[in-house]
């Protein structure tokens, strides 16, 4: 399944146009998922790129979202308190969640009040298992959608090039150390098996500094897969890229 999904690339002149298009897509896929199976589960990225998207989902798109049936998760988190300026939860909370009538129990943030990032990862994996309740406590669940960003080094979520967690087969969530140039260092991330089982994956990448890595991913995907975690991502049904138009 995941193997054969071809990426679809949508390019836009401005971040606002891309954010509007992606918001429209999210509203529509959420509507269909809720109609089909009663809920929409989406895992969010941090970084700066999705902030405008989040604020659009909190404003002009809000009335079209069935908030009671929407569950929000995170693809990764920095190991900082939830009100720290570097917290991915905090960004989404301020831009989006605090402004919409989503029930509290539908917000599934990665807990960072644990003693160590490893405990946070285990605790989040446990929370995911309780939520998705797989029959044998093992089979990998499918999020309806996962939103991912891309770093200039080709990382996505907190999966960095060369990291041993890229080979993870059984854990759903792990703790990682980012490379020396990336801050904050201590992080918690979903693993590739879980990400790759998502029905739909949205990549959202804007900015000139990302153009080389994006070119490598689109033009030489097989080569890129060996190096860039973003190129290793698959989806069960659709893999959509929202990127800047190059002239
Ligand atoms: C994080 C991320 C990370 C992010 C990319 C892109 O916690 O840092 O989730 O994978 O999406 O680094 O970040 P920007 O959108 O800021 O470029």
């Amino acid at each position: 399944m995941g193997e054969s999904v071809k990426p679809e690339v949508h390019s836009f002149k401005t971040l606002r146009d891309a954010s509007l298009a992606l918001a429209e897509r999210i509203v529509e896929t959420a509507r269909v998922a809720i109609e089909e199976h009663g809920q929409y589960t989406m895992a969010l990225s941090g970084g700066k790129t999705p902030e405008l998207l989040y604020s659009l989902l909190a404003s002009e798109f809000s009335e079209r979202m069935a908030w009671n049936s929407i569950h929000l998760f995170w693809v990764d988190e920095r190991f900082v308190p939830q009100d720290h300026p570097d917290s991915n939860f905090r960004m989404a909370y301020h831009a989006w969640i605090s402004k919409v009538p989503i029930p509290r129990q539908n917000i599934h943030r990665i807990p960072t009040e644990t003693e160590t990032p490893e405990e946070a990862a285990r605790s989040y994996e446990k929370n995911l298992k309780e939520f998705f309740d797989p029959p044998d406590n093992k089979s990998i669940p499918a999020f309806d959608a996962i939103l991912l960003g891309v770093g200039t080094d080709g990382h996505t979520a907190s999966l960095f090039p060369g990291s041993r967690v890229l080979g993870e087969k059984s854990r759903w969530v792990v703790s990682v150390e980012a490379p020396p140039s990336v801050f904050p260092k201590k992080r918690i991330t979903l693993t590739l098996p879980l990400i790759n089982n998502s029905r739909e994956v949205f990549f959202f990448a804007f900015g000139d500094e990302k153009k080389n890595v994006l070119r490598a991913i689109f033009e030489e995907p097989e080569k890129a897969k060996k190096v860039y975690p973003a190129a290793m991502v698959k989806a069960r049904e659709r893999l959509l890229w929202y990127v800047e138009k190059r002239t």
Side-chain angles (χ1 to χ4, degrees), residues 44-50 75-78 88 148-151 155-158 187 204 206 209-210:
L44 309 177
S45 259
K48 295 191 177 57
T49 314
V75 297
D76 72 336
E77 187 54 279
R78 294 91 178 263
N88 286 341
L148 293 170
V150 182
H155 81 255
T156 191
S158 282
R187 289 157 180 250
F204 196 10
F206 249 72
E209 68 289 358
K210 298 183 186 177

Side-chain angles (χ1 to χ4, degrees), residues 162-206:
S163 167
R164 62 180 166 76
V165 308
L166 294 172
E168 182 58 52
K169 297 273 186 294
S170 54
R171 297 272 304 271
W172 298 3
V173 190
V174 292
S175 60
V176 288
E177 285 256 326
S181 57
V182 182
F183 292 97
K185 208 146 262 353
K186 293 183 175 171
R187 289 157 180 250
I188 298 102
T189 186
L190 302 190
T191 58
L192 280 174
L194 187 50
I195 292 175
N196 287 346
N197 207 38
S198 181
R199 295 197 173 85
E200 193 157 45
V201 168
F202 304 118
F203 267 110
F204 196 10
F206 249 72

Side-chain angles (χ1 to χ4, degrees), residues 61-146:
F61 289 85
S62 175
E63 282 191 358
R64 294 166 58 198
M65 296 284 268
W67 294 112
N68 286 344
S69 309
I70 290 169
H71 287 263
L72 299 178
F73 299 81
W74 272 260
V75 297
D76 72 336
E77 187 54 279
R78 294 91 178 263
F79 191 62
V80 294
Q82 57 168 302
D83 55 354
H84 189 279
D86 289 328
S87 160
N88 286 341
F89 167 76
R90 180 182 186 265
M91 188 280 270
Y93 184 79
H94 284 292
W96 177 6
I97 295 163
S98 60
K99 300 183 173 144
V100 296
I102 184 166
R104 239 184 124 181
Q105 65 273 18
N106 293 14
I107 310 298
H108 308 267
R109 73 175 176 87
I110 298 179
T112 51
E113 53 280 7
T114 53
E115 297 246 313
T116 63
E118 183 50 26
E119 274 174 58
R122 291 199 182 271
S123 160
Y124 201 51
E125 183 165 310
K126 189 166 160 270
N127 294 349
L128 293 179
K129 286 195 170 158
E130 277 166 16
F131 180 85
F132 286 105
D133 198 17
D136 51 3
N137 204 34
K138 271 200 179 135
S139 47
I140 299 189
F143 282 103
D144 289 303
I146 289 192

Side-chain angles (χ1 to χ4, degrees), residues 6-17:
K6 267 187 72 183
E8 263 176 53
V9 183
H10 300 269
S11 48
F12 302 86
K13 273 207 182 121
T14 65
L15 180 66
R16 183 171 171 83
D17 288 347

